[in-house]
Amino acid sequence: MTNPINILETCWYISAPWGKQLSPLAISLLEKVYLPSPKVAGYCCGVEWSDIGWNYAITTQRGIISVPDSEIIASGQLQPLAISKPQFRLGQLVNFRFANDGPKIRMILGMSLINNAWLYQVEWKSPALKLLTDEGVCIFPKSAQQGKFINRLSWVTPHDLTEVL
């Protein structure tokens, strides 16, 4: 007999967060963009999944700004850089080296280029089960029950991950 809680815990890391579909990116990494609100131009240097969809890290002369796609005007021009291609892609399943006792397989939920090195975002901790509803189990992060926010996502290097075969 299988334990449904164990199955849920195991499957959590290999599906999009909160049962949502990972939507396609609105802009490409390293694409030149315009931000009308602060009236600046920059390049997309990272992307990460959030509760509302993709958030983009835009590097500008004022620093790095994190914005949703609704605040971006894409140009279609890619910044020419002589850097290596990312080793992994968004939505790819990978083995997380430091998973401790939890499931090893995780999904790439973000990537960022920092100092010419690619970093990847994976979920390091699953949410806690909160309550039963008429439809079944309702999932909420334990921190939300206590009115606090604890980030369950972590940025890791390619050294921390291996490809799932």
Side-chain angles (χ1 to χ4, degrees):
M1 182 173 205
T2 59
N3 180 345
I5 300 300
N6 188 34
I7 291 171
L8 178 63
E9 183 77 14
T10 303
C11 295
W12 180 260
Y13 299 107
I14 61 174
S15 62
W18 304 106
K20 296 179 182 176
Q21 293 285 334
L22 290 180
S23 57
L25 295 177
I27 60 172
S28 298
L29 286 166
L30 306 177
E31 183 175 346
K32 184 175 184 177
V33 296
Y34 300 98
L35 304 175
S37 179
K39 295 185 180 179
V40 295
Y43 288 90
C44 177
C45 65
V47 61
E48 66 179 322
W49 184 256
S50 72
D51 291 337
I52 59 169
W54 294 114
N55 259 352
Y56 299 87
I58 308 299
T59 183
T60 69
Q61 291 179 342
R62 299 179 187 176
I64 296 178
I65 301 170
S66 181
V67 294
D69 59 2
S70 61
E71 298 179 26
I72 297 173
I73 299 173
S75 72
Q77 300 173 356
L78 294 180
Q79 180 181 21
L81 285 179
I83 57 169
S84 61
K85 289 185 176 182
Q87 193 170 346
F88 305 103
R89 67 187 184 287
L90 292 171
Q92 182 177 356
L93 296 181
V94 293
N95 286 310
F96 183 38
R97 184 180 303 231
F98 301 106
N100 295 335
D101 295 335
K104 301 266 185 234
I105 298 177
R106 306 296 168 90
M107 180 184 280
I108 301 288
L109 297 174
M111 47 194 305
S112 187
L113 179 64
I114 299 176
N115 293 331
N116 290 332
W118 290 103
L119 295 179
Y120 302 93
Q121 191 177 55
V122 295
E123 203 161 20
W124 67 272
K125 181 180 178 187
S126 70
L129 296 177
K130 184 178 178 189
L131 52 94
L132 285 172
T133 65
D134 292 337
E135 295 94 32
V137 177
C138 184
I139 303 171
F140 291 98
K142 190 170 185 172
S143 57
Q145 298 170 20
Q146 300 161 350
K148 296 184 252 175
F149 176 74
I150 296 174
N151 195 355
R152 295 181 341 273
L153 301 173
S154 179
W155 289 100
V156 297
T157 67
H159 175 73
D160 304 322
L161 306 171
T162 59
E163 190 171 349
V164 172
L165 301 176

